[in-house]
């Protein structure tokens, strides 16, 4: 038997939020901004928990915090766009994570087919309608049906790893690095 390391929890009572954050920080994730537009204008928020969910039907998922004041507004609108941030979009990640400010002040945007904002220079965008919501503890698990999408493979994604931003060049065919 191996001796547990300091980053090991052997019992559910030992799984603290700090340990969970530290261990799960070993998983690299992308960063997205979820946007929509309603009668009062555009709204959006930064989200790190995003994933492809289903090919048939085409579904994605993300998980806003229950404390989010923006998600309820987007839920009411019923359509939204997932903006996959590019490596030079740290400012969008930080800006859309703030509360109590006009997150779109000084931000140009185009429209997805639903009318939701697509931020310029994103790696990809996914235009969706709300499919379902599920209890996710201190978060809500949201699923969206994909109605339109696009990508710019020249724009590498912004990644989050061990509590900070990073990026990496993709591998080419058969594991060869692109140059």
């Amino acid at each position: 038997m191996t001796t547990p390391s300091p980053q090991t929890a052997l019992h559910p009572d030992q799984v603290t939020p700090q340990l969970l954050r530290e261990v799960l920080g070993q998983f690299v994730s992308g960063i997205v901004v979820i946007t929509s537009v309603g009668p009062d204008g555009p709204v959006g928020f930064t989200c790190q928990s995003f994933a492809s969910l289903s090919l048939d039907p085409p579904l994605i998922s993300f998980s806003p915090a229950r404390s989010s004041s923006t998600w309820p507004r987007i839920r009411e609108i019923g359509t939204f766009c997932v903006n996959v941030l590019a490596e030079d979009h740290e400012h969008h990640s930080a800006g859309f994570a703030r509360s109590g400010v006009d997150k779109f002040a000084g931000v140009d945007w185009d429209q997805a087919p639903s009318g939701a904002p697509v931020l310029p220079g994103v790696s990809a965008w996914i235009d969706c309608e709300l499919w379902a919501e599920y209890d996710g503890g201190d978060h809500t698990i949201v699923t969206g049906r994909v109605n339109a999408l696009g990508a710019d493979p020249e724009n590498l994604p912004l990644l989050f790893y061990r509590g900070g931003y990073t990026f990496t060049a993709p591998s080419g065919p058969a594991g060869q690095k692109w140059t």
Side-chain angles (χ1 to χ4, degrees):
M1 182 170 157
T2 330
T3 304
S5 72
Q7 295 83 22
T8 302
L10 299 176
H11 189 273
D13 292 344
Q14 297 172 320
V15 179
T16 64
Q18 179 183 354
L19 180 59
L20 190 64
R21 184 176 288 119
E22 182 180 322
V23 171
L24 296 183
Q26 302 303 307
F27 181 72
V28 177
S29 67
I31 302 174
V32 300
V33 170
I34 309 295
T35 61
S36 191
V37 67
D40 297 328
V43 294
F45 67 94
T46 302
C47 187
Q48 184 186 342
S49 56
F50 167 78
S52 170
L53 182 62
S54 170
L55 296 175
D56 187 18
L59 300 174
I60 56 85
S61 70
F62 63 92
S63 299
R66 289 210 183 268
S67 60
S68 171
S69 60
T70 305
W71 169 242
R73 295 166 61 195
I74 294 175
R75 175 195 302 121
E76 187 175 306
I77 296 164
T79 57
F80 54 86
C81 186
V82 178
N83 291 266
V84 179
L85 297 185
E87 65 184 344
D88 61 347
H89 284 164
E90 287 183 32
H91 63 288
H92 284 321
S93 176
F96 282 91
R98 296 180 9 219
S99 295
V101 298
D102 178 2
K103 298 175 187 179
F104 279 90
V107 175
D108 292 328
W109 52 279
D110 294 316
Q111 285 188 335
S114 70
V118 176
L119 302 175
V122 294
S123 292
W125 59 271
I126 305 105
D127 199 31
C128 303
E129 63 185 287
L130 180 60
W131 177 268
E133 288 183 271
Y134 305 95
D135 181 16
D138 60 1
H139 283 66
T140 299
I141 302 167
V142 176
T143 57
R145 182 178 175 90
V146 177
N147 292 326
L149 68 166
D152 184 346
E154 296 297 315
N155 293 334
L156 297 178
L158 179 63
L159 303 176
F160 199 74
Y161 176 63
R162 292 185 176 177
Y165 297 113
T166 187
F167 67 93
T168 185
S171 294
Q176 297 173 341
K177 290 286 186 185
W178 290 358
T179 55

